[in-house]
């Protein structure tokens, strides 16, 4: 868990990669791999109860670990989500736009740099 970097808005890919590795090693990816099981009732089998409890635990642990690695200032803009898939999708949607802007900015800087024959580079 200490290997998960704090999400800061510019490191989403790295953050997600580390989260997935840690959750995979801890065998907690069940809630990310499977949809929420049907609610339990009195006729639910032991297998259905086991699957439901396993999904609930995995979902709860995933949310706690993700929220722990996101600063409160960033968490404020994310809606309270009880489903880890929805939570992760919302974070991805929010930071995908930031990555596109950052990529565009870097490309614009690269394009605007010109080589001068004196051996150095200058901006136009």
């Amino acid at each position: 868990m200490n290997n998960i970097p704090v999400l800061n808005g510019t490191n989403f890919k790295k953050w997600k990669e580390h989260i997935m590795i840690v959750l995979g090693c801890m065998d907690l990816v069940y809630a990310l791999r499977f949809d929420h099981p049907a609610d339990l009732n009195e006729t639910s089998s032991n297998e259905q109860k086991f699957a439901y409890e396993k999904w609930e635990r995995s979902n709860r642990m995933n949310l706690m670990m993700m929220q722990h690695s996101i600063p409160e200032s960033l968490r404020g803009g994310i809606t309270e989500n009880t489903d880890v898939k929805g939570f992760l999708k919302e974070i991805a949607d929010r930071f995908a736009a930031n990555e596109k802007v950052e990529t565009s900015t870097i490309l614009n800087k690269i394009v605007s740099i010109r080589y001068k024959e004196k051996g150095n580079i200058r901006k136009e």
Side-chain angles (χ1 to χ4, degrees):
M1 178 115 167
N2 292 338
N3 293 336
I4 300 172
V6 174
L7 183 64
N8 62 19
T10 60
N11 65 342
F12 174 73
K13 283 184 181 180
K14 185 176 182 178
W15 175 83
K16 184 179 177 188
E17 180 181 304
H18 283 268
I19 283 280
M20 298 308 283
I21 289 170
V22 169
L23 294 175
C25 290
M26 295 177 74
D27 196 25
L28 292 172
V29 291
Y30 191 83
L32 290 167
R33 293 177 54 213
F34 299 102
D35 291 331
H36 190 290
D39 289 335
L40 299 176
N41 56 38
E42 11 348 289
T43 62
S44 297
S45 69
N46 285 339
E47 186 178 305
Q48 289 170 320
K49 290 176 184 176
F50 177 76
Y52 186 85
E53 289 171 7
K54 184 174 182 175
W55 188 92
E56 282 291 326
R57 180 182 184 282
S58 174
N59 187 64
R60 187 177 62 254
M61 296 296 289
N62 285 322
L63 284 171
M64 284 192 310
M65 291 178 87
M66 287 181 190
Q67 289 172 346
H68 178 72
S69 64
I70 300 173
E72 185 129 2
S73 59
L74 293 179
R75 260 187 273 156
I78 301 169
T79 58
E80 284 296 318
N81 210 320
T82 57
D83 180 12
V84 71
K85 281 184 183 179
F87 184 77
L88 191 56
K89 183 179 180 336
E90 188 173 342
I91 293 170
D93 291 346
R94 180 173 177 187
F95 291 107
N98 285 354
E99 279 189 24
K100 289 178 186 175
V101 169
E102 185 178 343
T103 302
S104 176
T105 304
I106 291 169
L107 285 174
N108 284 335
K109 285 181 182 178
I110 291 171
V111 169
S112 68
I113 294 175
R114 257 183 84 191
Y115 175 72
K116 294 187 336 184
E117 292 181 22
K118 295 178 183 171
N120 58 1
I121 297 176
R122 66 176 175 89
K123 290 184 181 181
E124 287 197 272

